[in-house]
Amino acid sequence: MDKIALVVGATGITGSNLSKELIAEGFTTFGLARNPQKDIENLFPIAANLLDTESLKAALESLSPTHVYFTTWMRNDTEAENIRVNSLMVRNLLDVLSAKKSVQHVALVTGLKHYLGPFEAYAKEGFLPQTPLREEQPRLDLENFYYAQEDEVYAAAKRDGFTWSVHRPHTVIGKAVGNLMNLGTTLAAYATICKETGRPFRFPGSSAQWNGISDVTDARILAKQLVWASTTDAAKNEAFNVVNGDYFRWSWLWNKIAAYFGVEAVGYDGSIHTLENEMANDAPIWKQIAEKYNLKEANLNRLASAWHTDLDLGRPIEVMTDMAKSRKLGFNEFQSTEDSFYDLFKQLRKEQLIP
């Protein structure tokens, strides 16, 4: 039987890398987004609004996917609204597909906020989980839209008989423009501005993040785990952490990134210096940089998500993620985190997004 994949959120960091992996693995792959991109070879774009069931019905009328990968979310002002909107997007999609009886597996990408809490309580005192983070840890007694999305998948799986997997990456490192959460590209843009203006490359986060152990998730590793879990019987109906497989301290990596861009590294100095404040007036500077070096994106806000980088680097806890569960079942992919950043920076330069 033909393997037909529907990637929901195909323009994001996760969705675009997943689309490439699926195509390489022989899937006929469709990418759904409000404004689908057309620069991935052999990806069939679908334009639809997940909050509009009529839009979804029309867009998916002639498509009967066997594998569905949900990689998107919508940010709202409160967690209650995050729950309402993001669970509705999952429910609408699975309801529309239900009548087709074609879906064999649904994979949902969430993240470590499953353990750390939503943005309002993000790893604050009183909600600090035991590390390394393990899939067996129970849900927090907090509102969390990840839990609501999971529950929609579980309910639809029970109704329609498909298998499922849930994937919990740490910060995802990879290229995307216009993405809500993009630490790697944010740091590349910040370092570029520092180099151009002569400013120091100042660490914006906490003592715990500067000195503690951390990890990240390369988008390519996440893509491989998504495909693996959706095609491996032993991995079905399970939730999995997914990170690169190595650990680092920002006190080490910050200096590596600074050296790559040729800027002066300044580490944690006893205070948090948020990137939102540090980059608050940098949009005109970026526009000048884009004009000077003939870059393709002059809008800093489409490259940098300072608010999200501040959340990651400002946490009062080190974050280590356990990968034993998927390793035991045969997922043994590994990626050097240092190389994840260098590969991203090279790609950004090649595509004229940084000078």
Side-chain angles (χ1 to χ4, degrees):
M1 183 177 180
D2 291 340
K3 295 182 293 185
I4 302 171
L6 176 63
V7 178
V8 184
T11 59
I13 299 175
T14 299
S16 58
N17 281 274
L18 172 59
S19 297
K20 295 173 184 175
E21 183 70 18
L22 286 164
I23 291 165
E25 290 295 322
F27 282 77
T28 301
T29 306
F30 295 81
L32 188 151
R34 280 174 294 180
N35 299 295
Q37 60 187 28
K38 300 179 181 179
D39 59 349
I40 296 179
E41 188 177 1
N42 295 322
L43 176 65
F44 301 101
I46 297 176
N49 181 354
L50 290 165
L51 294 174
D52 182 347
T53 54
E54 294 307 312
S55 165
L56 278 171
K57 286 177 182 177
L60 299 173
E61 183 178 9
S62 60
L63 178 63
S64 296
T66 57
H67 295 70
V68 177
Y69 303 87
F70 204 96
T71 72
T72 191
W73 72 290
M74 186 178 294
R75 188 186 183 198
N76 297 275
D77 291 337
T78 66
E79 192 61 19
E81 191 65 3
N82 276 335
I83 290 170
R84 185 188 72 80
V85 171
N86 288 286
S87 63
L88 181 60
M89 292 195 299
V90 175
R91 184 164 66 252
N92 284 347
L93 177 73
L94 298 181
D95 283 353
V96 167
L97 292 176
S98 179
K100 298 176 180 290
K101 308 297 183 186
S102 65
V103 177
Q104 299 172 17
H105 188 88
V106 173
L108 172 68
V109 178
T110 60
L112 295 194
K113 288 193 298 296
H114 184 94
Y115 311 107
L116 300 172
F119 290 129
E120 288 91 338
Y122 198 43
K124 291 193 171 71
E125 296 295 340
F127 302 106
L128 300 183
Q130 184 182 52
T131 57
L133 302 171
R134 292 183 170 87
E135 296 91 340
E136 67 197 37
Q137 291 172 221
R139 290 181 176 184
L140 299 172
D141 187 19
L142 292 169
E143 290 186 320
N144 192 323
F145 80 84
Y146 286 171
Y147 304 161
Q149 286 185 311
E150 285 183 352
D151 289 343
E152 293 293 342
V153 172
Y154 301 156
K158 184 176 181 180
R159 177 190 67 199
D160 296 333
F162 57 74
T163 57
W164 55 266
S165 56
V166 175
H167 303 261
R168 298 170 185 160
H170 197 172
T171 302
V172 178
I173 305 301
K175 177 237 164 186
V177 176
N179 192 268
L180 279 176
M181 302 186 296
N182 198 333
L183 182 144
T185 304
T186 298
L187 294 183
Y190 175 48
T192 298
I193 290 168
C194 290
K195 185 174 180 67
E196 193 70 15
T197 60
R199 282 155 46 185
F201 185 60
R202 186 190 304 275
F203 182 73
S206 67
S207 173
Q209 281 292 296
W210 178 253
N211 294 307
I213 292 174
S214 192
D215 50 31
V216 297
T217 306
D218 191 298
R220 298 167 295 187
I221 289 288
L222 175 53
K224 288 181 182 297
Q225 194 197 60
L226 281 158
V227 176
W228 166 79
S230 65
T231 56
T232 302
D233 287 342
K236 291 174 180 176
N237 300 330
E238 297 286 351
F240 296 107
N241 294 333
V242 51
V243 289
N244 283 355
D246 63 355
Y247 298 109
F248 67 91
R249 299 180 195 275
W250 278 106
S251 57
W252 169 80
L253 185 58
W254 196 256
N255 290 295
K256 292 284 188 178
I257 295 173
Y260 183 93
F261 284 96
V263 292
E264 176 194 355
V266 174
Y268 179 75
D269 64 1
S271 299
I272 291 177
H273 304 277
T274 66
L275 271 186
E276 276 204 295
N277 287 337
E278 188 73 20
M279 301 179 72
N281 300 313
D282 285 345
I285 295 172
W286 185 262
K287 188 174 181 180
Q288 293 171 9
I289 291 171
E291 291 173 355
K292 179 178 177 180
Y293 296 101
N294 195 31
L295 303 183
K296 290 181 178 177
E297 183 54 69
N299 184 349
L300 180 60
N301 290 331
R302 284 182 52 77
L303 293 174
S305 49
W307 68 273
H308 175 257
T309 298
D310 284 338
L311 280 172
D312 263 12
L313 301 187
R315 289 182 296 217
I317 183 177
E318 67 176 16
V319 177
M320 301 168 62
T321 313
D322 185 81
M323 282 286 288
K325 183 176 180 179
S326 60
R327 298 285 192 241
K328 287 179 181 179
L329 294 175
F331 182 75
N332 294 308
E333 298 287 345
F334 170 85
Q335 170 66 41
S336 158
T337 290
E338 186 177 3
D339 289 345
S340 288
F341 280 91
Y342 295 162
D343 289 350
L344 170 63
F345 300 154
K346 290 172 186 175
Q347 186 179 10
L348 294 174
R349 280 188 170 146
K350 181 180 179 181
E351 299 189 18
Q352 293 179 268
L353 291 169
I354 63 172

